[in-house]
Amino acid sequence: FILPNKAVLALFFLVIAYRSTLVLFGVMQPIDLYYGFVAAVGASLFFLFLWLVTRGNGIGFGDVKFVVPLSLILGPTKTLVGLFLAFVLGSIVGIFLLATGKGKMKTAVPFGPFLIVATALALIWGESIFSWYWSLLI
């Protein structure tokens, strides 16, 4: 249930170094790094809003901080996919816990693992998922 600040900060600087290196070697454009920061700020503000609305009972403040490096590495479109997948995965596990009697409505479930799995999935298939979903809307 604890996301250590030192670990989140280390991940943040590791992601900054990684993305900056990609820009330096021309693999990525500088604007992509900017969009990564926009995604990180947007996702963090969204999680901060959830934390404030639920008074810390629906989502922990560690998640507010943890989503920053994850969004920075994903960029805007993959961040949307990653957050969506994290909430879907968390919901599936929550429903399973309720259905099997292993949890109650007040049972706390850490969200960090869902963010990690969803980030990995979004890194691999994020663009494809986003394109598929967008095609359904248009």
Side-chain angles (χ1 to χ4, degrees):
F1 287 101
I2 301 292
L3 291 167
N5 288 336
K6 288 181 182 179
V8 173
L9 195 59
L11 180 61
F12 175 76
F13 285 117
L14 187 63
V15 169
I16 293 290
Y18 171 70
R19 298 283 278 196
S20 297
T21 302
L22 291 178
V23 169
L24 184 67
F25 286 102
V27 175
M28 204 172 88
Q29 298 299 315
I31 193 72
D32 295 327
L33 185 58
Y34 169 76
Y35 289 147
F37 278 108
V38 170
V41 169
S44 185
L45 288 174
F46 173 67
F47 272 59
L48 178 62
F49 172 76
L50 292 177
W51 182 76
L52 290 170
V53 167
T54 65
R55 297 184 181 128
N57 292 322
I59 197 158
F61 197 73
D63 298 318
V64 176
K65 297 178 282 188
F66 189 46
V67 77
V68 172
L70 299 181
S71 297
L72 184 59
I73 199 162
L74 290 175
T77 55
K78 290 181 182 178
T79 293
L80 291 173
V81 172
L83 294 182
F84 178 77
L85 290 175
F87 282 104
V88 168
L89 292 172
S91 298
I92 290 169
V93 169
I95 290 168
F96 175 78
L97 291 173
L98 288 172
T100 59
K102 296 184 183 209
K104 296 179 173 43
M105 288 299 288
K106 294 284 185 179
T107 301
V109 178
F111 196 60
F114 302 113
L115 287 171
I116 293 168
V117 170
T119 297
L121 294 173
L123 277 171
I124 298 168
W125 295 297
E127 291 293 331
S128 299
I129 293 170
F130 185 83
S131 297
W132 168 76
Y133 188 72
W134 190 253
S135 72
L136 294 176
L137 297 175
I138 295 180

